[in-house]
Structure formats: structure tokens, C-alpha cells
Amino acid sequence: MSNITFPDLQLIDPILRALTEENYSIPTPIQAQSIPHLLEGGDLLGCAQTGTGKTAAFALPMLQRLHLTRQRYNRKHARSLILTPTRELALQIADNIKNYGRHLNLRYATIFGGVGQNPQVQALLPGVDILIATPGRLLDLIGQQHVKLEQVEILVLDEADRMLDMGFIRDVQKILVHLPKQRQTLFFSATMPNEVAGLANSMLSNPIKVEVNPVSSTAERIDDQVLFVESTKKSSLLLEILREHDIERALVFTRTKHRANRLAKELNEKRVRADAIHGNKSQNARQRALADFTDGRLRVLVATDIVARGIDVEGITHVINYDLPNEPESYVHRIGRTARAGTSGIAMSFCDHEESEYLADIEKLLQRRVNIYTEHSHHAEAIAENHAQYVQRRSGAISRRPSSPSRGGRGGHGAGRHGGGGRRR
Ligand code: AMP
């Protein structure tokens, strides 16, 4: 794979120039595998998470095809549609597309909820080549006849599993009704739970399947470690780590929005520049926090899973799981926020008494152990106790079925996570 170059992929000169300017020299595996097929107009089922270069994998051939089949614009019509679950991802994809397409003369619009619709309506009015949208606002604007999708030539559904998690699948299905049957469709998902696979089947015809970096294999460049700690000592442990390690830019995950706010406040009180980013924050506040983090004005960004999914900030040296996720897949997504595009990163996970079962689930998914970090071990008792529990649980978890009734719930958010229909994967 490594000796394939971008010119080998038959990309046109204006795109190659943009890639050179972006300092991309070698296509990533998903790019090398997808681009030739997509340039020919084929469908694609991509099993890939962010960090693999999947945005360019779909965007480059899309730009090229739209450029080469240039048509007159029809008012309010979009020639292609990229559906994505969050505003952050929409903005990020739009950013990438503008970069890759900077030497082409194509029109774009990005639409998402949480902000006034008028500028979006204005952007759609003359017609666009590429529309990047979140499902809710798009449906709204379709309903108001501000956008028309009957002439869409290319559809990209990004992060389908996240769409499912966020309850957007019905919206997606309603949007599909407005698209022509004759079109190129690209479907991306990091994981393939049954409902997602069903949706993919209904949308794609003869797709090539490209699978890179499956969710159970975290990037090797990430050094991940677990630190056992009492739940009440997590914030002092975090401060200690921030003090003692050379941490320039850390993304810290908490379980809830409330905990994210509280932690950001506490860090600021201790003179660590931090902000929180989650679904309750306004779009402006989220973008400001992200920009401050990107520009180095914040040292710590505290986030919850949903908004963090698309964060692609260069130079995140550390991801810290202040709380372990109860969905093991989230662990992979979270730690994938560091070690982007060839750099290396460190992920540290705090594990309290009740989280040891989550750790066992994570290791089961990864099919490997996460290293135990033993410095900062002055919370010795908690560590010994948690460690013993963890060892016991992980040996059970590897051999026991995940839905075993013997696993006590942890009440609250943990209870019932293996109940009902079982696991998502
Ligand atoms: P993505 O998976 O699309 O979110 O991309 C992850 C990161 O990799 C982004 O920061 C891209 O700018 C970067 N990237 C994508 N393709 C390449 C490439 N061929 N060479 C270097 N960096 C890349």
C-alpha cells in the first residue's frame, strides 16, 4: 500500500495541488482502496472511524466527479449531500472539503441546527454542488421547500452508527425519500450493529467494502494506561497528572454534562485553563471552546462522548478518561482523538471502584490488556481494592458471556446496559 501515490489514483491536477499544499504525500489505506472505485461511480460501504483519513477518501473523488460533470445550477438544488450526525462534524467536513477543493470552483453549503436558519437558506438559494448537513435541520428545510434533493448525484452517509445512537435513523430514512434512486451512495460506519447493516443494505447497490482499523484495534501509536483511583479523588489525581506530566493539550472525558461543567469549573479554580463542551452548550459556545483549545488558549477541554466524536484537533497529546465509558466502543473513539494522522499519543483512564467492570468490557473488545499505571499510587487502598476487583472481573469477562446475570449493575447509568436486546455489537 505504501508505494501508491495520489497521482497513481488518477486524481486531477487541481486536487493534487491542494493535497501537496496540505502536506499529504501518501494516501492512507482507506484512500488508496476507495478512491479509484469511487471515481468510477461505484457505491461503497466503509467500516472506518475518524482518524483513518476517511473524509478525504470520500471527499476527493466526490469533488473530482462534481467538477468534471459541471452543470448549470438549479435554484435550491444540491448536486451532492453529506449527512453527518453532529454540527462539529459537519463543520469539520466542510472545512476539509473547502481545503481539498480550493482550486476548483464548486459551491458548498453547511447546515445544522441550533443556529438561525436564514444564512443557511440564503446559501442554498442559488443551488450548491455539495451540501453538508445534519439530519434534523435538513428535514426542516426540506419541509419548508428551501432545499431540493431530487438531483442529488452523490450521497454520503457518515458515522451511521452514531446516527443510530443519537436517534437520527428515522430522520435519515425520511430524507432518503427525497433523493433519486439513481445515484452514487457511500456509507460509513465505525461499527456495524444490525440496524446499521440493514440500513446499509437498503441503500447500497453492489458496494465495495472497505474496512480499516476495525473498532477493536486501537491505533498502535496510542499508549493507553489505566489508573485506579477512588471516585472522590479523581479531580486531585487529574491535577497531579497535569502538573507532573508535560501535557500541552488534553481532552478529558466525563460521563455527564454536569460532571463536565463541574470539572471545568474546578480546574479553572486551580488555575488550569479549561472549558467544557457538550450538547447543552450553544453552538457558539461550543465553537469558541473548540477554537480556544485548537489555538492553545485552553489546556484542557472537558467533553462528553457525543460532541467529542468529531473533534479533530492537532496536537492533542493526552486523552484522559476521567470517567470510563460504559460502552466499550466509546473507549476506542475517545482515545482515537489523540495520535491523529501519524503522531503518537497517550491515553489515561481513571477507574474507580465501580468502573472496573467497564474496564473488563473494554479489554474484552480490544482483546488485550490495558497497562496499569502505578505512579500516583498514594491512594494505595483504593488501588489495591480496585485492582483486585478488576483482575477478578476481567478473568470472568474474558470467558463469561456479557449478558450474564451475575454481573451486578452499578445502578444509575450502568444498570440494564446488558439487558433487553443485549449488546450493540
Ligand atoms: P479523518 O479520518 O478524515 O478525520 O482524517 C484524520 C486526519 O488525517 C485529518 O486531520 C486529515 O487532515 C489527516 N489526513 C487525511 N489523509 C491524510 C493523508 N493522506 N496524509 C496525511 N494526513 C492525512
Side-chain angles (χ1 to χ4, degrees):
M1 198 60 61
S2 61
N3 44 12
I4 292 181
T5 62
F6 282 110
D8 293 337
L9 299 177
Q10 310 298 322
L11 291 167
I12 52 177
D13 182 62
I15 293 181
L16 292 175
R17 269 191 290 140
L19 294 176
T20 308
E21 286 154 13
E22 289 287 295
N23 285 323
Y24 292 8
S25 45
I26 299 165
T28 67
I30 194 168
Q31 291 161 5
Q33 288 172 53
S34 319
I35 290 174
H37 178 79
L38 293 176
L39 283 173
E40 287 177 6
D43 282 4
L44 176 128
L45 177 60
C47 205
Q49 56 192 92
T50 51
T52 54
K54 78 179 157 90
T55 314
F58 69 71
L60 301 177
M62 187 170 184
L63 286 163
Q64 178 153 329
R65 294 190 72 222
L66 292 168
H67 173 77
L68 294 177
T69 58
R70 189 59 136 307
Q71 290 177 355
R72 288 180 45 159
Y73 292 106
N74 289 322
R75 270 166 65 86
K76 300 187 181 179
H77 279 275
R79 296 183 59 207
S80 67
L81 170 65
I82 300 171
L83 273 178
T84 186
T86 66
R87 311 178 247 206
E88 281 74 14
L89 267 170
L91 287 168
Q92 208 163 282
I93 291 171
D95 241 27
N96 284 340
I97 287 193
K98 281 176 202 155
N99 282 336
Y100 305 146
R102 67 168 73 110
H103 301 301
L104 305 171
N105 196 11
L106 296 172
R107 261 192 223 153
Y108 318 97
T110 312
I111 65 177
F112 45 78
V115 294
Q117 72 169 42
N118 276 348
Q120 299 176 358
V121 169
Q122 291 308 315
L124 289 164
L125 199 58
V128 294
D129 292 288
I130 301 183
L131 173 58
I132 302 138
T134 56
R137 174 59 59 93
L138 179 59
L139 262 183
D140 251 19
L141 296 183
I142 293 173
Q144 298 174 52
Q145 316 252 341
H146 287 307
V147 60
K148 299 200 163 64
L149 303 178
E150 295 89 77
Q151 294 174 1
V152 166
E153 297 155 49
I154 308 170
L155 167 69
V156 178
L157 182 64
D158 193 27
E159 311 246 340
D161 51 352
R162 191 46 68 177
M163 297 269 194
L164 179 70
D165 287 349
M166 294 174 72
F168 289 156
I169 290 292
R170 287 193 57 131
D171 284 354
V172 170
Q173 280 162 336
K174 286 186 201 157
I175 290 166
L176 290 178
V177 174
H178 297 271
L179 292 161
K181 293 239 158 16
Q182 189 68 30
R183 56 162 203 255
Q184 181 180 30
T185 305
L186 286 60
F187 189 106
F188 289 91
S189 195
T191 59
M192 285 289 165
N194 285 343
E195 271 175 273
V196 170
L199 182 68
N201 268 337
S202 72
M203 291 173 61
L204 297 163
S205 85
N206 276 333
I208 56 155
K209 296 188 180 117
V210 177
E211 190 169 346
V212 291
N213 205 8
V215 73
S216 56
S217 68
T218 48
E220 310 232 312
R221 305 180 308 268
I222 303 173
D223 174 11
D224 59 345
Q225 307 159 344
V226 60
L227 292 82
F228 293 107
V229 59
E230 276 173 40
S231 55
T232 53
K233 303 259 171 67
K234 283 184 175 182
S235 66
S236 57
L237 178 61
L238 178 62
L239 283 163
E240 232 170 274
I241 287 172
L242 290 170
R243 213 170 26 242
E244 289 172 23
H245 293 249
D246 184 20
I247 299 185
E248 236 174 76
R249 214 170 290 168
L251 183 60
V252 175
F253 287 92
T254 60
R255 197 163 50 230
T256 64
K257 299 165 191 168
H258 178 64
R259 280 171 73 79
N261 284 339
R262 213 172 52 191
L263 179 60
K265 185 163 176 269
E266 197 174 336
L267 288 170
N268 279 302
E269 283 164 6
K270 299 276 164 41
R271 295 178 188 285
V272 176
R273 282 164 293 122
D275 204 348
I277 179 170
H278 53 65
N280 281 2
K281 295 244 165 171
S282 72
Q283 178 62 12
N284 278 345
R286 279 152 75 166
Q287 266 165 258
R288 197 169 48 238
L290 206 51
D292 285 346
F293 189 53
T294 306
D295 299 344
R297 287 188 292 276
L298 291 178
R299 195 167 159 218
V300 174
L301 189 63
V302 190
T304 56
D305 278 307
I306 283 181
V307 285
R309 171 78 170 219
I311 291 177
D312 179 21
V313 174
E314 275 177 34
I316 296 180
T317 51
H318 290 69
V319 165
I320 297 177
N321 291 314
Y322 191 79
D323 299 316
L324 274 179
N326 59 352
E327 289 280 356
E329 288 87 355
S330 295
Y331 179 85
V332 180
H333 296 309
R334 287 179 178 189
I335 74 172
R337 301 300 101 201
T338 182
R340 312 277 291 167
T343 59
S344 60
I346 293 174
M348 294 178 152
S349 298
F350 295 0
C351 180
D352 70 24
H353 189 65
E354 295 191 309
E355 289 171 313
S356 56
E357 65 175 296
Y358 297 165
L359 181 59
D361 283 348
I362 290 164
E363 293 190 328
K364 186 160 176 280
L365 174 73
L366 300 175
Q367 294 287 308
R368 65 173 171 81
R369 309 275 189 236
V370 179
N371 290 327
I372 297 170
Y373 191 77
T374 48
E375 307 228 339
H376 304 284
S377 57
H378 52 264
H379 315 304
E381 264 176 46
I383 288 165
E385 189 187 344
N386 286 344
H387 188 208
Q389 266 203 355
Y390 152 77
V391 168
Q392 190 191 353
R393 277 188 167 126
R394 84 174 176 191
S395 57
I398 303 286
S399 58
R400 209 194 301 143
R401 287 185 60 78
S403 55
S404 163
S406 62
R407 304 158 59 89
R410 53 176 293 178
H413 74 282
R417 93 200 135 95
H418 294 135
R423 316 269 313 233
R424 287 193 301 116
R425 298 182 74 247

